[in-house]
Amino acid sequence: QDLVNRQPTELFEEFLEAEWRNSGRKLSELPSGPAAIALMRLVVQVQDPAAIEAVVSAFTSLPSSLRDALSRELACTGVAGECYKRCPAVTAGPAFLVYYSPAFLRHCCACNLNEAQAALWTLAEVYRAARVLWPARNEPEWQEHEVVVHIDELKDCFSTDLVDAYANGECWLVVRVSNHTAVVVRQPLEQVLAGTVRHCQLCVPPSSCEVLRLWPAAMAA
């Protein structure tokens, strides 16, 4: 009966705390500060103890700009008027659900720390690109708005697969296909520059596309 009177965001935060403890980490090690929710959500996604250590290490070693981006986006609740107690400043929407994010992280974090770092860099870029296409807004209807970003084409990739696209005259894009949906696709760079990106046989306007900055020089910065 108590559950009926409690906010969904509060319950989810308690779930994240419980999963952090179940991962073998001590209660005293519960994260705090702006990155807390992001780190706990990433730990839930990878599940495997070895992968958990990789994702925690990879997260802390990210450049601050990428760490901040993941922290901000993963703290969006998708519920108007609600925020996590650890991240009270994050209230804007829409919130993004990156579909296949857990599979992508488990795939990379089970390999080694370098692949875990590349996976988090990639996710941060996906969130950044999605936010370009859906700028943050504070109106209640936008706080409730959710966008699903499909990364099917990325989920089985390692870092070499990601950067090789740019060496082969292609690039990765986030493409907005509806008010509630986006998809990550690999496209020839010539088509992107010509404004002739296509998805499901439809021509996508340049204003609905954002390139992921996954070329080697960017990921080595």
Side-chain angles (χ1 to χ4, degrees):
Q1 187 174 3
D2 179 53
L3 296 179
V4 177
N5 300 315
R6 300 179 65 191
Q7 294 181 336
T9 302
E10 178 187 6
L11 294 172
F12 185 56
E13 190 162 358
E14 289 185 3
F15 163 77
L16 293 175
E17 293 172 357
E19 288 300 303
W20 181 271
R21 294 193 295 272
N22 291 339
S23 72
R25 293 181 168 272
K26 298 176 182 178
L27 182 61
S28 60
E29 296 175 345
L30 272 171
S32 59
I37 295 300
L39 193 52
M40 289 193 289
R41 289 185 65 179
L42 292 169
V43 163
V44 167
Q45 289 187 44
V46 293
Q47 298 179 346
D48 178 74
I52 286 172
E53 293 304 318
V55 80
V56 171
S57 297
F59 184 83
T60 56
S61 67
L62 283 176
S64 59
S65 60
L66 297 180
R67 202 165 55 243
D68 290 347
L70 284 173
S71 299
R72 183 175 56 253
E73 298 300 345
L74 285 168
C76 292
T77 66
V79 183
E82 293 189 19
C83 60
Y84 295 104
K85 65 183 180 183
R86 287 178 173 79
C87 302
V90 180
T91 58
F96 300 117
L97 170 64
V98 180
Y99 204 79
Y100 281 122
S101 174
F104 177 55
L105 284 176
R106 287 195 294 269
H107 171 69
C108 295
C109 292
C111 188
N112 55 51
L113 180 58
N114 288 338
E115 291 299 336
Q117 290 171 330
L120 290 184
W121 188 299
T122 302
L123 280 184
E125 265 297 287
V126 169
Y127 280 112
R128 180 201 63 79
R131 186 57 72 195
V132 170
L133 299 175
W134 279 274
R137 299 178 62 172
N138 281 303
E139 297 91 337
E141 62 270 24
W142 283 96
Q143 293 176 356
E144 293 276 358
H145 193 86
E146 293 185 357
V147 174
V148 180
V149 184
H150 295 269
I151 63 166
D152 310 40
E153 289 194 36
L154 290 178
K155 67 182 178 68
D156 295 322
C157 290
F158 288 120
S159 57
T160 52
D161 304 312
L162 299 172
V163 300
D164 281 354
Y166 298 88
N168 292 319
E170 297 178 305
C171 65
W172 295 96
L173 298 169
V174 173
V175 177
R176 176 173 174 159
V177 296
S178 76
N179 287 338
H180 292 273
T181 310
V183 62
V184 173
V185 295
R186 182 170 172 166
Q187 292 276 306
L189 189 56
E190 285 184 355
Q191 291 186 13
V192 176
L193 294 174
T196 56
V197 172
R198 300 189 69 84
H199 176 67
C200 294
Q201 308 303 317
L202 298 175
C203 189
V204 180
S207 60
S208 294
C209 303
E210 179 69 16
V211 174
L212 297 181
R213 299 178 297 199
L214 300 177
W215 48 86
M219 297 187 74

